[in-house]
C-alpha cells in the first residue's frame, strides 16, 4: 500500500518563529489532508489539499502531486500551535475506497 | 451544530468483556470510518462503511465488529478476541466513500483494559 513519511519527527521552536513540515508519499493520491492533534486527542482539520496551495491565517500548505510531497508552513508560531501534526493521504488506486493512510506525525513544541 | 460525537470519552474494560463504542454524525455523510491510534503512532483503519447496511474490513479488523443500521450511526464493538485493545479510538465521516472526499473526525474514546 501507499507509504507516508513525515519530517522532521520532532520540532522545537521559540514563539514567533516560522517552520516547515514535510510529507512525502509513495504513490498517486486523490486526497491529502493535514491535521493538528491537540493535547486532548482531537484531530482538527487544517487543510484538504490534494494539489495546489491554500492559506488559512498563519498556516499555509502546498501539495506538488507530481513530485509526491506536501509542505505545511506555520508562520509566527504561538504556544497554542503545539501538538502533533499529521499528514494523511488516500491513494488514487480504485481499491483504496475512502481509507486515509497516516504518517507518523511531527511533534511540534512552541516555547514562550 | 453539525458534527461527530463519540461516547463515552473514557472507557475501562476488564479482560474478557465486550464493549461498544458509540459514534453519531449529523453531517448527512454517507461514509463512516473507525480508526485506532496507539501512543506515538498515526491512525490505522479498523472498519469503514460507504452506505447504510454495508461495511468492510480495514487493515486491522480482527477482534472488532461493527453495524450500520442508520446513516447517522456506526457503533464499534471491541470483542474479547482483540488481544491488545487499549488504545485511542477515533470515528470519522465523509460525504461519500468512493472518490476524494474530506474526512472529519470525532473527539475519540480512550479505552483501557484493566
Amino acid at each position: 500500500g501507499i507509504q507516508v513519511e513525515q519530517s522532521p519527527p520532532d520540532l522545537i521552536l521559540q514563539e514567533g518563529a516560522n517552520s516547515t513540515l514535510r510529507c512525502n508519499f509513495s504513490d498517486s493520491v486523490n486526497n491529502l489532508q493535514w491535521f493538528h492533534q491537540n493535547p486532548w486527542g482531537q484531530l482538527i482539520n487544517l487543510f484538504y489539499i490534494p494539489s495546489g496551495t491554500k492559506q488559512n491565517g498563519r498556516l499555509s500548505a502546498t501539495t506538488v502531486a507530481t513530485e509526491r510531497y506536501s509542505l505545511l508552513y506555520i508562520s509566527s508560531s504561538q504556544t497554542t500551535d503545539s501538538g502533533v501534526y499529521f499528514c494523511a493521504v488516500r491513494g488514487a488506486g480504485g481499491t483504496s475506497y475512502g481509507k486515509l493512510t497516516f504518517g507518523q506525525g511531527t511533534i511540534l513544541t512552541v516555547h514562550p | 451544530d453539525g458534527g461527530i460525537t463519540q461516547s463515552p470519552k473514557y472507557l475501562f474494560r476488564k479482560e474478557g468483556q465486550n464493549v461498544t463504542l458509540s459514534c453519531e454524525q449529523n453531517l448527512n455523510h454517507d461514509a463512516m470510518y473507525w480508526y485506532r491510534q496507539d501512543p506515538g503512532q498515526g491512525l490505522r483503519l479498523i472498519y469503514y462503511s460507504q452506505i447504510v447496511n454495508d461495511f468492510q474490513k480495514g487493515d486491522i479488523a480482527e477482534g472488532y465488529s461493527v453495524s450500520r443500521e442508520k446513516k447517522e450511526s456506526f457503533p464499534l464493538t471491541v470483542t474479547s478476541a482483540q488481544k491488545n485493545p487499549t488504545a485511542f479510538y477515533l470515528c470519522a465521516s465523509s460525504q461519500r466513500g468512493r472518490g476524494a472526499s474530506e474526512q472529519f473526525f470525532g473527539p475519540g474514546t480512550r479505552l483501557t483494559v484493566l
Side-chain angles (χ1 to χ4, degrees):
Chain A
I2 195 166
Q3 306 295 315
V4 181
E5 286 187 11
Q6 291 186 240
S7 60
D10 295 277
L11 187 57
I12 300 173
L13 302 174
Q14 287 297 126
E15 203 166 26
N18 302 329
S19 61
T20 301
L21 282 59
R22 186 176 180 102
C23 173
N24 291 334
F25 44 94
S26 61
D27 209 341
S28 300
V29 300
N30 58 18
N31 179 2
L32 188 146
Q33 294 185 238
W34 283 98
F35 298 93
H36 175 211
Q37 188 167 40
N38 67 22
W40 297 272
Q42 174 83 54
L43 277 176
I44 299 164
N45 288 41
L46 298 178
F47 293 102
Y48 171 67
I49 187 166
S51 64
T53 298
K54 291 186 178 179
Q55 180 155 7
N56 185 4
R58 297 181 295 103
L59 273 59
S60 64
T62 295
T63 297
V64 184
T66 54
E67 297 188 21
R68 298 181 183 169
Y69 73 89
S70 182
L71 302 173
L72 177 68
Y73 306 96
I74 304 174
S75 64
S76 303
S77 58
Q78 301 176 357
T79 56
T80 51
D81 294 331
S82 297
V84 186
Y85 289 80
F86 286 106
C87 169
V89 305
R90 177 186 184 273
T95 59
S96 61
Y97 40 89
K99 168 189 170 182
L100 286 178
T101 299
F102 282 74
Q104 296 294 331
T106 292
I107 302 172
L108 175 63
T109 305
V110 181
H111 291 301
Chain B
D1 248 336
I4 303 170
T5 57
Q6 292 186 240
S7 62
K9 193 170 183 179
Y10 298 94
L11 186 57
F12 298 90
R13 186 194 97 172
K14 292 182 180 179
E15 283 193 28
Q17 286 182 336
N18 293 354
V19 291
T20 298
L21 283 57
S22 169
C23 177
E24 304 274 334
Q25 55 98 2
N26 61 5
L27 301 168
N28 200 32
H29 285 171
D30 287 322
M32 296 186 74
Y33 313 83
W34 274 105
Y35 292 87
R36 169 184 170 137
Q37 185 179 28
D38 293 287
Q41 303 293 316
L43 281 65
R44 293 179 292 166
L45 183 69
I46 304 172
Y47 265 99
Y48 72 102
S49 169
Q50 294 183 27
I51 199 168
V52 174
N53 293 322
D54 179 71
F55 50 84
Q56 302 295 331
K57 293 181 180 180
D59 296 326
I60 54 167
E62 185 174 350
Y64 300 98
S65 65
V66 294
S67 62
R68 187 87 186 277
E69 297 176 2
K70 298 186 294 183
K71 186 175 185 177
E72 59 270 21
S73 178
F74 191 39
L76 173 74
T77 297
V78 184
T79 75
S80 56
Q82 169 49 236
K83 297 305 178 190
N84 185 20
T86 294
F88 187 47
Y89 291 87
L90 291 130
C91 176
S93 70
S94 65
Q95 195 163 22
R96 59 187 182 275
R98 294 204 176 274
S101 182
E102 187 174 5
Q103 284 189 26
F104 297 87
F105 283 79
T109 293
R110 292 193 184 276
L111 173 63
T112 302
V113 174
L114 303 174

